[in-house]
Amino acid sequence: MQGNVRDNTTHCPWLTGILPRTHPCAFAALLTEAHAAGVTSVAVTSGWRPSLGSIAHRAGLGLDITYLEGGGESVFLNRASLTNGSAAKNGNVSAREKVLWREHQEARAALLEGEQRIRIARSRASGNEEQSALELANADARINSLRNQEDLARRAWNAERNLHEPGLIRTLRDLLGRNGSVKQLFDPWYMDADTTDKIAAVPNEQRRSNPNERLHNNHLHITVREPKIL
């Protein structure tokens, strides 16, 4: 039971119980790149955790950060208000972004539905070839229109989100992404499941269908690379 895990580890001391079980490369990467980014204060809220949460934390390979300070910026890494109307507002999510995010989600849903419809139409295309060709041509035109709408909505949301992203977290993320000890970076703005592949980090949309995005709407998570474990 997870409740038992929490009850049995509430007494676990940070210095002797948590730090020694957290991979030293996690702190080394954070401190090295935080210094390079001009960060003077950082709040680490989680390292090693026994039998609770992701394998990264249970294996001692993860760190969670909720606050950064430096260069005149104070940054709370929280964007829960994007999808939660009762969450505290902190300047990371503008009123306009909420509107644009909703429009993008609606455009994305419409595109997915349209793609499903055309797959069904193609599978049913038979009999009157001329009529089937016309129906598929109309469906293709509709899909292209939906794709354009989704693309425009995504670009508008991306621009507004990036406009209000604090420079401190952007700089720190870029530096951590180039650190050889770092494997994954998840935060309220962007998600990168593998910092060494050629796939760019994707925006954190906080979709209900993606629990990992929702989980990381209020902190930066760092997973360090340890091939023997993860």
Side-chain angles (χ1 to χ4, degrees), residues 175-189:
L175 290 168
L176 285 169
R178 295 195 294 270
N179 188 292
S181 294
V182 175
K183 177 181 176 66
Q184 295 176 323
L185 291 170
F186 301 133
D187 69 52
W189 287 270

Side-chain angles (χ1 to χ4, degrees), residues 192-211:
D192 194 344
D194 188 344
T195 59
T196 63
D197 63 19
K198 296 182 179 181
I199 302 174
V202 298
N204 185 340
E205 297 183 43
Q206 296 187 33
R207 290 172 291 171
R208 292 186 181 277
S209 60
N210 191 325

Side-chain angles (χ1 to χ4, degrees), residues 111-127:
L111 174 59
L112 292 175
E113 181 181 355
E115 289 175 338
Q116 176 65 16
R117 287 178 180 275
I118 198 172
R119 282 194 292 269
I120 294 173
R122 288 186 184 283
S123 67
R124 292 178 177 174
S126 61

Side-chain angles (χ1 to χ4, degrees), residues 126-144:
S126 61
N128 188 328
E129 294 184 2
E130 183 177 348
Q131 181 178 353
S132 296
L134 179 60
E135 290 177 353
L136 291 177
N138 290 335
D140 283 336
R142 173 62 175 162
I143 285 297
N144 288 333

